[in-house]
Amino acid sequence: MDTTITSAMSDHIARGSLTGVATLVWRDGQTIHVAAQGQRDLANGLPVTRDTIFRIASLTKPITSLAALMLVEEGRMSLDDPIVRWAPEFEIMQVLCDPEGPLDVVVPARAAITLRHLLTHCAGFTYGDFHTGPIAGAYAEALGATIDSLFAPEDWIGRLAGLPLIDQPGAAFHYGHSTDLLGFLLARIEGMPLGEVLYRRIFGPLGMSDTGFVVPPEKHHRRAAPLGFDAAGKPAQLSTVPAGHALPLRPAALTYESGGQGLWSTLDDYLSFARLFVEGGAVDGVRLLRRETLTLFMANQLSPAQRAGARMFGMPLFAAGHGFGHGVAVVMEPEHAAPTLCGGGVGAVGWPGAYGGWWQADPNDASVALLLTHNMVEPDQMALGIGLGIYAAIGQFQALAGAAR
């Protein structure tokens, strides 16, 4: 076990940057580092363990994207198919003239939304939390919470279709609900809930027994509690996740399953998924994708202008260092690649989550690095600098993981 990583994460916990964290580094078929440190539940004094089950937020997106590409490979759908083939609700779409402007000042969409647009976040959808204009309230009212929405999938699809796009389909990268819609299209095509699609296609074959949209009662004792920070910036246990996007206990009758950010998982489960990217689309003899489809998955799909224009919270996202494939960030210029997205050599991939989860898979040295934690921060806290220590921890972990042997 690499003790340098363990020591570094201990320092972050001691400083109050993290409450608890689980880390793993895998290379050339072997786990060369694994550690579980700090607490997963402050109220009950429970430690993080290797099998702690975390909310992984947007680490969900690459999994849903994999399921979609499996259907593409089977000929069930094509990347350039308009989504109206399965969702006629999107036949006629309007586009805001100004993303922060009035909702009734719109122009018609010039092109149909395609599956490719969903996979690359170029469809014109967004997250309401990214905006201050009227579209923010419209998203919240129409769609509800992003993880545990009370709307049934069919209702949610219609509500999304009733909102204006913030850009023309195919024009630019806009991070948002594209992967949630993608998940519901998969459910329509397969004729079963998204959770069952993912289980049959990915979780079951790869042995990911602790991954799903719901943590069953018999595993509740292994869940990480919602952990974040109080008003003074000190580690604290929260009553729910920021902005109320998830419920403390998911009702049994809830049918909404967020393919963009709804999964729970563990270190070892997510390792099984991430190994696909360094082992040619197969893990332990179980093939999910052909090599050529995996190559497509991991290849940058954004034009230079789209890379330069991509923003998140107003900050450049892919202007230098990274591109974006079909659901994953792709390292293009390693010397400029921000480790908070993913690091590694040319062609390495990854995608972080809002609650502090992070991973990268680098085919250049057949390695996977994983960090799971609950670092849940409200937007107004971020503006004050509260909770941002996670980025330093991820950057340090990424560097040390690359050096570990």
Side-chain angles (χ1 to χ4, degrees), residues 44-250:
N44 296 295
L46 300 176
V48 175
T49 55
R50 180 169 178 167
D51 63 354
T52 292
I53 304 171
F54 294 91
R55 287 191 182 275
I56 61 171
S58 287
L59 273 70
T60 303
K61 288 181 171 72
I63 292 175
T64 303
S65 300
L66 167 62
L69 289 173
M70 292 173 76
L71 266 69
V72 169
E73 188 172 271
E74 294 168 6
R76 305 274 300 282
M77 56 203 312
S78 168
L79 288 174
D80 293 315
D81 280 340
I83 65 170
V84 294
R85 178 179 170 188
W86 309 281
E89 295 95 330
F90 295 90
E91 181 70 40
I92 300 175
M93 297 299 294
Q94 302 293 320
V95 181
L96 289 175
C97 293
D98 176 359
E100 303 298 340
L103 298 179
D104 57 353
V105 182
V106 295
V107 296
R110 296 192 295 265
I113 300 169
T114 67
L115 177 65
R116 188 188 303 273
H117 293 152
L118 297 184
L119 282 161
T120 59
H121 288 273
C122 292
F125 299 118
T126 186
Y127 285 129
D129 291 347
F130 289 172
H131 299 272
T132 57
I135 193 66
Y139 259 74
E141 181 179 353
L143 305 179
T146 60
I147 294 178
D148 286 335
S149 175
L150 300 180
F151 297 115
E154 296 301 306
D155 189 12
W156 187 93
I157 291 171
R159 288 170 170 270
L160 179 65
L163 294 168
L165 302 173
I166 65 164
D167 207 343
Q168 291 289 339
F173 179 97
H174 295 286
Y175 195 55
H177 280 292
S178 288
T179 316
D180 290 310
L181 177 57
L182 177 64
F184 290 135
L185 296 186
L186 298 180
R188 280 187 174 181
I189 293 168
E190 294 279 64
M192 63 185 72
L194 177 60
E196 189 171 344
V197 174
L198 298 181
Y199 175 79
R200 291 189 179 192
R201 287 188 166 273
I202 301 171
F203 305 153
L206 294 184
M208 297 170 64
S209 59
D210 286 327
T211 303
F213 292 112
V214 177
V215 179
E218 65 272 18
K219 296 182 181 181
H220 280 186
H221 65 287
R222 290 200 278 125
R223 290 183 306 181
L227 299 174
F229 303 88
D230 61 19
K234 301 296 184 183
Q237 190 148 320
L238 311 177
S239 58
T240 187
V241 306
H245 284 312
L247 298 170
L249 187 63
R250 182 182 170 95

Side-chain angles (χ1 to χ4, degrees), residues 1 21-26 30-38 40 47-54 210 222 265-271 370 372:
M1 178 183 292
V21 64
T23 51
L24 184 148
V25 181
W26 182 94
Q30 294 185 334
T31 297
I32 61 172
H33 160 84
V34 64
Q37 301 166 252
R40 70 174 188 268
V48 175
T49 55
R50 180 169 178 167
D51 63 354
T52 292
I53 304 171
F54 294 91
D210 286 327
R222 290 200 278 125
S265 193
T266 63
L267 278 182
D268 288 291
D269 271 17
Y270 210 87
L271 172 63
L370 285 164
L372 295 182

Side-chain angles (χ1 to χ4, degrees), residues 336-401:
H336 299 300
T340 47
L341 284 182
C342 66
V346 173
V349 298
W351 193 250
Y355 302 146
W358 177 95
W359 70 286
Q360 72 176 39
D362 190 346
N364 296 285
D365 63 355
S367 70
V368 171
L370 285 164
L371 181 153
L372 295 182
T373 187
H374 275 178
N375 188 84
M376 299 180 174
V377 186
E378 296 283 358
D380 59 344
Q381 291 180 308
M382 291 183 66
L384 296 172
I386 294 174
L388 302 187
I390 182 62
Y391 300 116
I394 288 172
Q396 190 173 15
F397 171 64
Q398 194 276 332
L400 294 172

Side-chain angles (χ1 to χ4, degrees), residues 116 120 173 295-304 306-307 318 322-326 328-333 347 349:
R116 188 188 303 273
T120 59
F173 179 97
T295 298
L296 179 69
F297 198 163
M298 301 171 68
N300 172 58
Q301 301 297 310
L302 303 183
S303 69
Q306 288 171 330
R307 288 180 66 200
F318 305 127
H322 293 91
F324 194 78
H326 290 91
V328 289
V330 182
V331 174
M332 297 180 68
E333 298 103 15
V349 298

